[in-house]
Amino acid sequence: MKKVVLAYSGGLDTSVCIPLLREHYGYDEVIAVTVDVGQPEEELRDAQMRAEKLSDSFVLVDAKQEFVHHCIFPLIKANGCYEGYVLGTAMARPLIARHVVEVALREGANAIAHGCTGKGNDQLRFDAVFRTTDLELIAPMRELGLTREEEKRYAAEHGISFESAGGSGGDMDKRWSVDENMWSRSIEGSELEDPAFSPPEEVFRWTASIEEAPDEPELLRLYFECGVPVSVNGEEQDGVALIRTLNAIGGKHGIGRTDMVEDRVLGYKAREIYEHPAATILLEAHRDIEQLILTRNELRFKEMVDRAWSELVYQGLVMDPLFDSLNAFIDKTQERVTGTVYLKLNKGVARVVGRESPYALYTKDVSFDVKREQRTAEGFSFYHGFQSRLVRQPGGAGRV
Ligand code: ARG
């Protein structure tokens, strides 16, 4: 009895994988595992419905809390961003992979599989975690190189239906490849692959267009504690609820759309569209309050750490011990990152309009209205630029 556990999303690729694992790879039992990181309810229901038809058994893991506390909160502290992409899919993959591994070990499977192609980043993120076991690793999409048309034909031959349980038509003929979790939604494929093609409004689900967004601005008050958001407009909310609230408010104002060309790990440049209202708001606010609280030295050094952190996440290398070390540094800096940020949301923009913190390094001494002995700055100023002066002075070291 050969048993395989498949990371299952319910979409075309992973659905086609199920009969392939039986017919092409000779497995007797296929266990489909879907990990809930905040996909829409309907998508989860569809995955379950399809898996129950196609696979031998279906496991649904609720990882929403874990996703927020172990992925999104560290990301906020690290101002996580890769080339302007807020790292949604990238952050979720290793967590999904870890849960799939757990099921595979518990079920005594012989192999573990994912539906990623050989062109993207996701294969690297899944593989890195899957290879922590001795199980055979199968990636049918990468190994067989089917085109989307071939997949659709194969799916039709195997009676794989993409009628949605929610009756919304299903995603079989949807042109776009969408990956969604509670932090961000990514849309790619089809005409969008042409970087010159302007995305039609229909690809966006979380954000209003600038035209539809209300004219009236909305004020927002966010409270952070040790680098993590804990309340919105004075109302304390748990992480999942807080992110959903901000996605709704920000989305209404058209905040958090990204249209970019991104450097994939393999070196391909890919055109990507993202929606992430809560992420935009939280990252703007977090960066701003850090600027009020951290020292100049901390800020400069942390910028490098944040970047290294983001690159490891993008590459799917969160198991590198360096990642733990970077997190330890970041956590240390966040001990003082507590305070309030005020934002104004309007027509696609979340603008910080105020901030305050008991840990602010801001001093009133700088004010035009405060009388203070200023002559002490003279000595400082004398040596400021000292070496450049030596180079530039007539007959100085700068002669060539
Ligand atoms: N380019 C992003 C990343 O590598 C998102 C990929 C999402 N996949 C999708 N099918 N839309 O993290």
Side-chain angles (χ1 to χ4, degrees):
M1 203 44 189
K2 285 206 326 171
K3 211 191 255 193
V4 57
V5 169
L6 168 72
Y8 186 67
S9 70
L12 177 63
D13 289 343
T14 52
S15 295
V16 163
C17 282
I18 299 176
L20 279 176
L21 286 166
R22 289 210 191 86
E23 291 173 9
H24 187 85
Y25 292 90
Y27 279 84
D28 309 295
E29 187 178 341
V30 183
I31 302 173
V33 181
T34 298
V35 180
D36 177 1
V37 282
Q39 304 87 312
E41 286 295 320
E42 191 190 336
E43 190 178 314
L44 294 169
R45 269 202 310 276
D46 287 349
Q48 170 147 18
M49 182 190 77
R50 255 169 233 145
E52 280 170 355
K53 229 186 281 167
L54 296 169
S55 68
D56 296 282
S57 56
F58 172 71
V59 180
L60 178 66
V61 182
D62 180 357
K64 289 194 288 290
Q65 289 294 339
E66 209 184 342
F67 185 50
V68 169
H69 292 275
H70 295 124
C71 303
I72 297 180
F73 281 179
L75 179 144
I76 295 170
K77 295 186 208 176
N79 301 311
C81 188
Y82 171 82
E83 297 185 345
Y85 158 46
V86 298
L87 297 169
T89 302
M91 203 71 245
R93 292 310 192 218
L95 177 67
I96 295 172
R98 273 199 291 274
H99 281 290
V100 175
V101 162
E102 231 170 75
V103 175
L105 297 177
R106 193 171 67 219
E107 295 286 336
N110 310 86
I112 189 161
H114 62 65
C116 307
T117 69
K119 293 182 182 169
N121 300 315
D122 285 336
Q123 54 174 336
L124 308 172
R125 300 168 183 153
F126 273 107
D127 287 1
V129 176
F130 282 5
R131 289 206 166 97
T132 58
T133 70
D134 303 326
L135 304 178
E136 190 190 343
L137 194 163
I138 310 175
M141 292 299 128
R142 177 170 66 190
E143 289 157 22
L144 306 175
L146 302 178
T147 64
R148 210 154 167 88
E149 282 316 307
E150 288 168 334
E151 281 183 48
K152 285 185 188 170
R153 213 173 314 127
Y154 185 83
E157 281 163 23
H158 287 77
I160 300 175
S161 143
F162 279 82
E163 273 309 307
S164 164
S168 71
D171 52 8
M172 179 63 153
D173 344 286
K174 281 204 187 113
R175 284 183 291 171
W176 330 109
S177 163
V178 175
D179 181 64
E180 188 166 329
N181 58 49
M182 80 180 82
W183 189 237
S184 86
R185 184 167 175 270
S186 106
I187 312 107
E188 54 183 29
S190 197
E191 294 103 310
L192 294 174
E193 287 177 349
D194 175 1
F197 177 80
S198 162
E201 223 16 68
E202 59 158 281
V203 309
F204 299 104
R205 289 286 154 81
W206 289 12
T207 52
S209 66
I210 299 296
E211 297 77 35
E212 290 160 350
D215 294 327
E216 203 49 41
E218 183 164 348
L219 291 172
L220 194 67
R221 177 160 49 101
L222 291 180
Y223 183 66
F224 286 84
E225 222 167 68
C226 299
V228 160
V230 292
S231 78
V232 179
N233 296 331
E235 191 192 319
E236 246 180 69
Q237 295 192 18
D238 89 276
V240 175
L242 184 139
I243 288 162
R244 290 198 164 139
T245 302
L246 294 181
N247 273 334
I249 301 178
K252 186 176 77 191
H253 288 281
I255 288 159
R257 282 189 183 183
T258 304
D259 177 339
M260 67 184 289
V261 173
E262 170 181 309
D263 289 291
R264 288 189 183 162
V265 183
L266 262 58
Y268 291 115
K269 283 196 186 285
R271 197 286 181 81
E272 303 277 356
I273 309 282
Y274 299 109
E275 292 186 282
H276 42 79
T280 296
I281 294 171
L282 288 167
L283 294 177
E284 284 287 334
H286 180 263
R287 267 192 225 104
D288 186 278
I289 196 150
E290 276 194 332
Q291 190 72 28
L292 178 69
I293 294 166
L294 300 186
T295 67
R296 177 165 57 186
N297 289 330
E298 283 180 302
L299 287 168
R300 295 296 173 272
F301 193 79
K302 186 167 181 290
E303 232 173 74
M304 297 189 291
V305 172
D306 289 350
R307 192 190 173 114
W309 188 98
S310 299
E311 286 188 353
L312 285 179
V313 169
Y314 188 75
Q315 295 166 354
L317 295 177
V318 295
M319 280 178 325
D320 192 308
L322 174 61
F323 192 61
D324 298 336
S325 307
L326 298 179
N327 277 313
F329 168 82
I330 292 169
D331 281 340
K332 185 73 195 157
T333 63
Q334 301 300 294
E335 285 174 358
R336 282 153 34 233
V337 181
T338 291
T340 303
V341 182
Y342 303 88
L343 297 108
K344 195 185 234 180
L345 315 182
N346 189 220
K347 294 279 184 198
V349 180
R351 199 185 309 284
V352 174
V353 291
R355 72 288 285 159
E356 62 193 345
S357 164
Y359 300 98
L361 296 184
Y362 187 83
T363 156
K364 289 230 161 61
D365 285 7
V366 76
S367 165
F368 289 112
D369 304 327
V370 173
K371 213 167 171 49
R372 190 184 199 285
E373 176 49 62
Q374 293 179 35
R375 303 263 312 246
T376 50
E378 247 176 47
F380 182 95
S381 178
F382 179 80
Y383 288 103
H384 191 63
F386 181 61
Q387 295 189 342
S388 8
R389 217 153 59 227
L390 294 179
V391 174
R392 301 279 172 183
Q393 72 189 1
R399 283 159 293 163
V400 270

